Amino acid sequence: MFKRILKSYDYAFIAVFILLCLFGIIMIYSASWSLAIGKDLPADYYYMRQVKNFIISFIFFILFALVPFKFFQNNKVLMLIVFGTIGILLLIFLIGKTVNNANSWLVVGPRSLQPGEFAKLAVIIYMSAIYAKKQSYIDDFNRGVLPPIFFLAFVCFLIAIQPDTGTAFIIFLVGCCIIVASGMRLRTIMKLIGIGLGVLVALTLILFALPDSVRDEIVSPTKVARITTFMNPFEYADKEGHQLINSFYAIGSGGVSGQGLGESVQKLGYLPEAHTDFIIAVVAEELGVFGVMFIILGLFFLIYKTISTGLRAKDPFASLMCYGIASLITIQAFINLGGASGLIPLTGVTLPFISYGGSSLMVLSMMIGIVANISMFNKYHRVYNADGSKQVKPKKQKRR
């Protein structure tokens, strides 16, 4: 039985996930050694921390790949996820650690965790589970539509006021993708859009009615500058445009084949956050188009496999989780790559599997584990019956 289960896993999917993580670890070392030395730390400081992050994350991947996905649909587990997520997000305001002007971290022993990252997985599991259970009355607005949306809105609100608008925006978009994939009629979705636009207009009017001092705290000049700067960063070269301009220099100097692994110039104090938000710029400078395409193709493969796993799944809960996970990887990758290349405003979002960060890698590994588990069940049930016996496919009759 256990051997049959092991044979049913998609090892190509798992291999690409591991390759992306290992590639990320190599690039983190290349991008961070100068920063570490500048802080009087060992050159391999960030590299060794990411190696430990990967080991812990891989253990969680194995755990989530082995635990049947239906476990997360249990009512007690769902309540633990809901109240645990809200509790840990509220705890930030009491004992949270501020990094880069955002109170988004909790210190647990020698490590720091970012609860907003774990909220991404919590929202995907909860919304998928509830909408899967409500399929028979999915268009009933009060019973079928609204309950998960209240949780989504409250989680986004708690994260946005940290403030971490990038994470809140990603979670909101992922929630919208799950709603679209839930099976609701177009009429119901259009009604939701109308309500959302009404709430947005109301919040905008309230914002403009507030005193200037309060409004500046909510919509700080720094946030506004991020939106305006990406359109013409060279106009703000000494301030907000500094990061993006140096990202352009790194990407442009890489060409097709790059300057060579470890040969980036921009990481030597010119490009801030070279090992986190702007790691793709270092990849482009050192490995050129080939390095960038390796990441994009690897991410595309994981997204494609996740969507195809959702399409093959007969359980709506499994399908919705796959769509939610695929949308998260897609949206987060697009925001990171788009920000680093100047296509969209910078939001401080990491590149999945590549950027430095333990919380992000841990949560993404859990998600990949869930998809691997669903894929295994899909393949197992195509080959074996419920009692473990192998299915006998009827032989095709030869045409005379």
Side-chain angles (χ1 to χ4, degrees):
M1 177 82 175
F2 189 66
K3 288 183 179 179
R4 292 175 179 177
I5 290 174
L6 288 178
K7 287 181 180 179
S8 299
Y9 280 100
D10 188 340
Y11 289 101
F13 177 75
I14 296 171
V16 171
F17 154 65
I18 295 173
L19 282 174
L20 281 175
C21 292
L22 295 178
F23 182 81
I25 290 172
I26 293 170
M27 293 312 305
I28 285 167
Y29 177 73
S30 178
S32 66
W33 65 262
S34 60
L35 174 66
I37 292 174
K39 292 183 177 182
D40 293 326
L41 297 169
D44 63 350
Y45 176 79
Y46 294 103
Y47 164 79
M48 290 305 300
R49 285 179 66 90
Q50 190 68 0
V51 169
K52 293 176 183 177
N53 290 335
F54 174 69
I55 293 171
I56 295 170
S57 299
F58 193 71
I59 292 171
F60 276 102
F61 159 76
I62 294 173
L63 178 63
F64 277 67
L66 292 176
V67 174
F69 69 89
K70 295 290 284 184
F71 169 79
F72 299 104
Q73 203 174 15
N74 181 278
N75 287 332
K76 292 181 180 180
V77 175
L78 284 177
M79 288 301 99
L80 181 63
I81 289 172
V82 169
F83 291 111
T85 301
I86 293 173
I88 199 170
L89 289 175
L90 290 173
L91 193 63
I92 285 179
F93 299 102
L94 297 176
I95 59 171
K97 176 184 176 183
T98 301
V99 178
N100 294 330
N101 299 319
N103 188 23
S104 305
W105 298 83
L106 283 178
V107 178
V108 181
R111 305 188 66 84
S112 296
L113 296 177
Q114 196 170 8
E117 294 294 327
F118 295 90
K120 295 174 182 177
L121 180 56
V123 165
I124 290 173
I125 291 175
Y126 178 75
M127 293 188 70
S128 300
I130 299 302
Y131 282 136
K133 288 180 179 179
K134 296 177 182 289
Q135 286 296 300
S136 59
Y137 51 94
I138 191 69
D139 289 297
D140 187 317
F141 215 75
N142 293 327
R143 292 195 303 152
V145 177
L146 290 180
I149 292 177
F150 287 139
F151 176 65
L152 172 66
F154 191 50
V155 167
C156 289
F157 171 74
L158 290 177
I159 295 174
I161 62 176
Q162 292 177 0
D164 187 356
T165 51
T167 300
F169 184 60
I170 289 173
I171 292 175
F172 172 75
L173 290 180
V174 170
C176 291
C177 291
I178 293 174
I179 289 170
V180 171
S182 65
M184 294 180 193
R185 293 177 182 175
L186 181 60
R187 183 190 305 174
T188 306
I189 294 174
M190 294 304 295
K191 188 176 180 180
L192 275 176
I193 293 173
I195 293 173
L197 290 175
V199 171
L200 182 61
V201 170
L203 291 175
T204 304
L205 293 175
I206 293 171
L207 182 64
F208 280 103
L210 293 173
D212 292 343
S213 58
V214 178
R215 187 167 63 247
D216 288 342
E217 288 185 12
I218 298 173
V219 185
S220 64
T222 304
K223 293 177 182 177
V224 176
R226 283 182 176 181
I227 298 174
T228 56
T229 299
F230 91 99
M231 293 183 287
N232 188 8
F234 292 94
E235 187 177 342
Y236 308 92
D238 296 331
K239 296 180 180 179
E240 291 83 6
H242 174 72
Q243 286 179 306
L244 189 54
I245 290 172
N246 284 285
S247 179
F248 288 164
Y249 289 154
I251 295 171
S253 63
V256 176
S257 58
Q259 302 293 329
L261 184 62
E263 299 299 321
S264 168
V265 174
Q266 295 304 315
K267 71 185 179 187
L268 302 176
Y270 300 103
L271 182 63
E273 309 297 337
H275 62 307
T276 56
D277 303 351
F278 284 92
I279 196 166
I280 192 65
V282 177
V283 173
E285 186 178 7
E286 295 188 349
L287 303 179
V289 173
F290 294 117
V292 174
M293 288 306 299
F294 175 82
I295 293 174
I296 292 175
L297 290 175
L299 290 172
F300 177 81
F301 181 82
L302 293 183
I303 293 165
Y304 166 76
K305 280 286 190 176
T306 302
I307 294 174
S308 63
T309 298
L311 291 171
R312 291 192 183 99
K314 296 180 180 179
D315 189 308
F317 174 52
S319 295
L320 288 175
M321 278 203 298
C322 286
Y323 301 148
I325 291 168
S327 65
L328 173 76
I329 298 173
T330 303
I331 292 166
Q332 189 162 324
F334 174 78
I335 291 176
N336 177 274
L337 296 173
S341 58
L343 293 176
I344 59 175
L346 295 171
T347 56
V349 172
T350 56
L351 183 60
F353 309 105
I354 307 298
S355 294
Y356 173 81
S359 297
S360 175
L361 185 59
M362 193 183 302
V363 172
L364 287 166
S365 299
M366 293 175 185
M367 292 181 183
I368 294 297
I370 290 173
V371 176
N373 184 263
I374 295 170
S375 174
M376 180 274 293
F377 271 100
N378 288 349
K379 186 176 180 181
Y380 183 86
H381 291 305
R382 284 199 306 269
V383 179
Y384 301 101
N385 296 309
D387 59 359
S389 61
K390 196 166 185 177
Q391 293 183 12
V392 179
K393 295 182 180 180
K395 294 181 179 180
K396 293 182 180 180
Q397 294 183 350
K398 294 181 179 181
R399 292 182 180 179
R400 294 181 178 178

